[in-house]
């Protein structure tokens, strides 16, 4: 067990599982790249590994996991499924497919990747996830890119609150209404693109650079620490072992409330975020 792994706090989810407070993202790595990257990430101290059917790298991730000596019970493996599986039986099939590709017997977290409202079957997909949870096939269930209204619809239909909603979230894209709904219902927010997708000058912005200089850390570490201060789990992605270690090393400093507020001011300064009502797979 690495020192970095030991330093990563765990967060308790609605359904009782514990999730590491930072994860390792794997899009757009292919099977070969993902296998090597995951092996490096686990060695660096990551235990939350995030993938999806649509990333087409689950087999490589399985090989990366299998190449290390990290016990399965230390891992928190997340995957997501596509719209074609939005039915009771479909979710069961999606789970079986992901487990087979990853070489595991269960998933720690399984997510509906996109709501795809035009298809109109995400409630049935949620019912399928609830069934998997009750049968012990997954430790936690959730959504990705769901709106407040869609989350409420799932809760109303089943009485089961998602453990997680994974959304596009960074200082450039803050959705306070959605985060408030998450907090009210105990839904943990995970952030994809926590570093702004490497665009829009996030890591060159004045409040990020100022905080980095103050704390003698990198701009990326400041941006990821900002997520922590907001109660969000970031899922940064990189194929560089050096940056993996750097991104994980964010638990030795805190941002002040004024620094967080200054970074909040970057909201709305980039292109519009992806619209889940229009995009999905």
């Amino acid at each position: 067990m690495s020192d970095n792994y030991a330093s990563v706090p765990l967060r308790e989810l609605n359904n009782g599982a514990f999730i590491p407070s930072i994860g390792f993202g794997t899009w757009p790595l292919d099977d070969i790249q993902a296998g090597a990257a995951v092996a490096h990430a686990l060695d660096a101290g990551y235990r939350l590994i995030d993938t999806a059917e649509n990333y087409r790298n689950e087999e490589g991730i399985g090989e990366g996991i299998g190449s290390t000596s990290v016990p399965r019970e230390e891992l928190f493996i997340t995957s997501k499924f596509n719209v074609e599986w939005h039915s009771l039986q479909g979710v069961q099939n999606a789970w079986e497919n992901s487990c087979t590709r990853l070489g595991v017997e269960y998933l720690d977290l399984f997510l509906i990747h996109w709501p795809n409202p035009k298809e109109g079957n995400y409630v049935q997909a949620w019912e399928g996830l609830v069934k998997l949870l009750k049968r012990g096939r997954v430790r936690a269930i959730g959504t990705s890119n769901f709106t407040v209204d869609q989350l409420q619809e799932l809760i109303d239909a089943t009485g089961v609150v998602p453990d997680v909603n994974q959304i596009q979230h960074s200082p450039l894209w803050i959705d306070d209404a959605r985060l408030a709904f998450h907090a009210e219902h105990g839904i943990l927010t995970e952030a994809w693109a926590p570093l702004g997708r490497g665009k829009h000058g996030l890591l060159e912005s004045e409040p990020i650079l100022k905080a980095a200089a103050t704390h003698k850390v990198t701009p990326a570490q400041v941006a990821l620490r900002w997520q922590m201060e907001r109660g969000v789990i970031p899922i940064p992605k990189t194929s560089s072992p050096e940056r993996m270690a750097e991104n994980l090393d964010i638990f030795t400093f805190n941002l002040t409330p004024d620094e967080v507020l200054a970074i909040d001011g970057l909201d709305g300064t980039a292109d519009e975020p992806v619209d889940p009502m229009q995009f999905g797979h």
Side-chain angles (χ1 to χ4, degrees):
M1 183 184 298
S2 75
D3 291 339
N4 276 344
Y5 168 67
S7 73
V8 176
L10 300 178
R11 304 277 302 276
E12 186 172 6
L13 298 172
N14 272 328
N15 288 301
F18 286 85
I19 184 172
S21 55
I22 184 170
F24 181 71
T26 62
W27 183 89
L29 304 176
D30 63 23
D31 275 321
I32 294 175
Q33 295 168 325
V38 165
H40 285 305
L42 293 175
D43 185 60
Y46 291 90
R47 293 296 180 266
L48 166 53
I49 306 297
D50 183 88
T51 185
E53 172 189 6
N54 210 65
Y55 298 173
R56 296 181 175 86
N57 61 17
E58 288 174 310
E59 289 185 3
I61 288 171
E63 291 175 3
I65 291 169
S67 71
T68 76
S69 60
V70 177
R72 174 66 182 92
E73 60 269 20
E74 278 190 19
L75 300 176
F76 196 94
I77 301 172
T78 300
S79 195
K80 318 174 194 75
F81 58 90
N82 288 349
V83 66
E84 66 184 285
W85 309 110
H86 284 198
S87 66
L88 272 173
Q89 183 57 44
V91 173
Q92 172 72 30
N93 295 342
W95 174 84
E96 291 174 355
N97 293 340
S98 281
C99 285
T100 297
R101 288 189 292 262
L102 287 160
V104 297
E105 295 183 354
Y106 66 93
L107 295 174
D108 297 278
L109 176 63
F110 207 21
L111 307 177
I112 306 173
H113 202 160
W114 293 89
N116 290 280
K118 291 181 180 179
E119 299 292 334
N121 297 322
Y122 54 81
V123 171
Q124 290 92 320
W126 184 244
E127 290 170 345
L129 280 176
V130 171
K131 188 174 180 180
L132 284 178
L133 180 68
K134 290 180 177 178
R135 293 172 61 201
R137 300 295 190 264
V138 294
R139 297 176 62 221
I141 56 176
T143 55
S144 183
N145 304 298
F146 272 57
T147 67
V148 166
D149 289 344
Q150 290 163 346
L151 292 169
Q152 187 65 62
E153 192 174 353
L154 300 183
I155 296 168
D156 290 344
T158 65
V160 179
V161 179
D163 287 291
V164 166
N165 189 28
Q166 185 180 122
I167 62 174
Q168 184 177 8
H169 183 265
S170 84
L172 304 172
W173 304 298
I174 304 173
D175 187 339
D176 283 323
R178 187 153 48 167
L179 266 63
F181 183 89
H182 290 176
E184 179 185 352
H185 292 83
I187 300 170
L188 194 145
T189 307
E190 284 187 331
W192 63 265
L195 300 178
R197 309 181 92 176
K199 303 176 182 177
H200 314 298
L202 172 63
L203 300 184
E204 293 80 42
S205 64
E206 191 274 337
I208 294 281
L209 291 175
K210 183 177 179 181
T214 298
H215 297 282
K216 297 180 173 57
V217 296
T218 68
Q221 287 172 312
V222 169
L224 294 173
R225 184 68 219 182
W226 172 88
Q227 300 274 5
M228 296 283 163
E229 306 289 357
R230 280 185 143 262
V232 175
I233 290 183
I235 306 175
K237 53 198 176 191
T238 178
S239 58
S240 163
E242 293 77 16
R243 285 195 292 274
M244 288 178 196
E246 174 188 300
N247 289 345
L248 197 62
D249 187 19
I250 56 172
F251 300 101
T252 57
F253 71 100
N254 296 288
L255 299 177
T256 68
D258 285 345
E259 287 171 331
V260 172
L261 188 62
I263 295 169
D264 287 352
L266 297 171
D267 183 33
T269 60
D271 297 341
E272 288 295 313
V274 175
D275 183 358
M277 300 299 289
Q278 302 297 326
F279 181 78
H281 41 246

